[in-house]
Amino acid sequence: MKTRKEFAKYICPNGTVTDNGRIASLRKFSNLKECYIVRYADDFKVFCRSYEDARRMFIAIRKWLKDRLDLSISEEKSKIVNLRKNYSEFLGFWLKVRKKGKKRVVTSHISQKAKERIKVEVKELVKDLQNPKDMEESYRKICRYNAYILGVHNYYRYATNIQEDLDPIAFNIRKNLEIRLRTRLTKSTKRMVPRYIAVRYGDSKQLRFVDGLPVAPLGYVQHKSPMYKPKAVNSYTKEGRALIHRKIQTVSADKIEYLMQHPIPGATIEMNDNRLSLYVAQQGKCFVSGVELNVKNCVLHRKKNLPAGMRDKYQNLVLVTPQVENLISLEGAEPETYRKAVEKLKLDNKAVEKLNRLRRIQKS
């Protein structure tokens, strides 16, 4: 809304324009109702400064939805809440405002409905771990369990009281694991712990192992403050989408699931686990040529022929195409033959440097 007087504007580091002078003027000299709308899909909150503004806004929104879209709101779920006194649920979180010095800040929990769902689903995953047919099935089920725990932590860690909310559930799940898995459950392992587990849960005393494989602890999580997201990063502009795609890994979940369900026959569990980690780290591309790997044909190459306990370590493995694997292992060939093979794959200088480095490592 325009004002007669022009006010100075301040551009925040994330690109948002702040014009507090204009807003203060509108508050003082107009009858406009100030509100902030936060929406995700069809779920939204409207934040107002007073009960009277909230009451009028509620009536206006209900009338607009009915008249324009022929939609009726749920009287049970849609209501006016004083956030200074009561909690309000939004996207699986309970939100409330509390005093902190002279300011007011948000305190949040996982909603009761979400906690009940997590408890039921984790118990089902633990039950699924109980009687695997073989080690391969055990590996797949543990991967599925860990993926679920990581998903819960990644989504709900923005709740300020997540530790308090998950502790009772985690205690119950630990007891469930001990009862169902008994001798299969240990506190240590001789195998190498995968990097994604070591980074997130390596310092936790709650970390347990099933058949020598790590099981992520539900109760080991810390609150994470939401990052200050740049305004330019959004899904609605070409430039915004490009910024999103630049930061995310472009590995398909279907491809990861295929690799999990089709481990290398006869390979160690450590090798198959590192195969997954490498596929994500290399974003589904060949380490040398950079071409997209076909999950059915990608080759796991050992850099050095080390002793049995060392050869399947993450640092000793890379994923390449079969053609690149043949070039790495090519011995006694004429320089011209090698050059033609490199040209056929259309490798640039950087790719050739990687290829030669792998060849030198293998010969050493």
Side-chain angles (χ1 to χ4, degrees):
M1 304 298 293
K2 290 184 178 180
T3 53
R4 292 179 184 176
K5 180 183 175 181
E6 286 289 329
F7 292 91
K9 295 180 180 180
Y10 171 72
I11 300 177
C12 298
N14 71 337
T16 303
V17 178
T18 302
D19 49 353
N20 293 331
R22 183 182 64 84
I23 292 171
S25 177
L26 289 169
R27 281 179 190 152
K28 188 174 181 179
F29 299 110
S30 79
N31 292 320
L32 294 171
K33 306 297 180 289
E34 185 179 2
C35 71
Y36 295 86
I37 300 174
V38 181
R39 180 180 71 87
Y40 181 83
D42 64 340
D43 200 354
F44 65 93
K45 294 282 183 192
V46 180
F47 297 92
C48 303
R49 285 187 167 271
S50 67
Y51 170 77
E52 189 58 34
D53 285 357
R55 190 182 67 81
R56 293 185 181 188
M57 194 68 67
F58 185 83
I59 294 168
I61 289 170
R62 181 168 55 187
K63 189 173 186 304
W64 189 90
L65 288 170
K66 188 65 179 174
D67 294 349
R68 298 286 188 92
L69 304 177
D70 196 26
L71 293 173
S72 298
I73 65 172
S74 167
E75 295 295 336
E76 183 185 346
K77 293 180 181 178
S78 306
K79 52 191 172 185
I80 299 170
V81 176
N82 184 344
L83 288 179
R84 296 178 183 181
K85 297 179 180 179
N86 303 299
Y87 280 96
S88 179
E89 187 177 346
F90 187 52
L91 303 177
F93 293 87
W94 269 350
L95 309 171
K96 190 180 179 181
V97 172
R98 65 178 175 85
K99 273 192 173 182
K100 187 177 180 181
K102 294 182 179 180
K103 296 182 180 180
R104 293 185 185 272
V105 296
V106 172
T107 183
S108 52
H109 291 268
I110 303 174
S111 71
Q112 190 60 39
K113 192 189 297 182
K115 284 193 286 187
E116 288 297 326
R117 189 185 70 249
I118 291 167
K119 187 176 179 179
V120 170
E121 290 177 353
V122 176
K123 278 190 172 183
E124 282 298 314
L125 288 168
V126 171
K127 185 179 177 181
D128 203 32
L129 291 173
Q130 194 168 359
N131 296 307
K133 290 186 294 185
D134 50 36
M135 284 299 291
E136 284 187 10
E137 187 176 59
S138 175
Y139 170 75
R140 286 199 297 271
K141 288 180 176 181
I142 290 169
C143 283
R144 193 180 303 125
Y145 178 91
N146 288 342
Y148 183 85
I149 299 300
L150 278 165
V152 168
H153 287 172
N154 286 341
Y155 184 80
Y156 289 107
R157 61 183 172 170
Y158 297 105
T160 53
N161 294 281
I162 184 170
Q163 189 73 62
E164 178 187 325
D165 296 334
L166 287 184
D167 264 350
I169 305 173
F171 178 80
N172 191 285
I173 295 302
R174 282 199 299 274
K175 293 297 179 186
N176 207 322
L177 280 166
E178 288 169 7
I179 292 167
R180 287 190 177 276
L181 304 178
R182 294 179 182 155
T183 55
R184 291 173 60 207
L185 190 71
T186 59
K187 291 186 177 181
S188 61
T189 183
K190 293 179 181 178
R191 292 194 177 100
M192 180 182 176
V193 178
R195 181 178 290 185
Y196 76 97
I197 293 288
V199 170
R200 291 284 289 268
Y201 308 109
D203 296 331
S204 173
K205 293 181 180 179
Q206 300 176 34
L207 185 62
R208 296 292 182 269
F209 299 87
V210 177
D211 298 333
L213 300 169
V215 174
L218 179 63
Y220 189 77
V221 61
Q222 290 182 327
H223 164 66
K224 179 179 172 64
S225 298
M227 300 301 290
Y228 200 36
K229 183 180 172 183
K231 186 180 178 183
V233 178
N234 65 80
S235 303
Y236 308 106
T237 65
K238 187 177 179 180
E239 295 76 14
R241 288 191 293 272
L243 288 170
I244 292 172
H245 294 154
R246 195 179 302 163
K247 291 185 178 182
I248 63 171
Q249 292 180 328
T250 55
V251 181
S252 163
D254 293 337
K255 291 180 180 179
I256 296 295
E257 188 175 352
Y258 181 90
L259 289 174
M260 286 173 62
Q261 293 176 356
H262 296 82
I264 301 169
T268 62
I269 290 174
E270 182 182 15
M271 186 174 183
N272 278 309
D273 193 57
N274 286 331
R275 178 173 168 237
L276 281 173
S277 301
L278 282 166
Y279 194 83
V280 174
Q282 293 177 205
Q283 298 192 20
K285 295 178 181 178
C286 172
F287 176 77
V288 173
S289 64
V291 301
E292 191 170 342
L293 291 169
N294 182 335
V295 290
K296 295 180 181 179
N297 295 323
C298 63
V299 178
L300 193 57
H301 170 73
R302 289 190 179 106
K303 298 177 185 178
K304 287 185 177 182
N305 191 23
L306 298 172
M310 299 289 293
R311 67 180 64 169
D312 295 336
K313 299 290 184 187
Y314 181 89
Q315 294 83 354
N316 193 46
L317 301 170
V318 286
L319 283 173
V320 294
T321 60
Q323 295 83 0
V324 170
E325 168 72 4
N326 291 336
L327 275 178
I328 296 170
S329 306
L330 192 64
E331 291 184 10
E334 294 291 331
E336 186 63 21
T337 305
Y338 176 70
R339 187 184 62 79
K340 285 182 179 179
V342 169
E343 286 180 356
K344 188 176 180 180
L345 291 180
K346 297 179 180 177
L347 301 180
D348 58 21
N349 291 337
K350 191 174 180 180
V352 171
E353 188 180 329
K354 286 183 178 180
L355 177 64
N356 290 334
R357 187 164 69 247
L358 288 175
R359 283 169 61 82
R360 285 194 299 271
I361 291 171
Q362 192 171 62
K363 289 176 182 178
S364 64

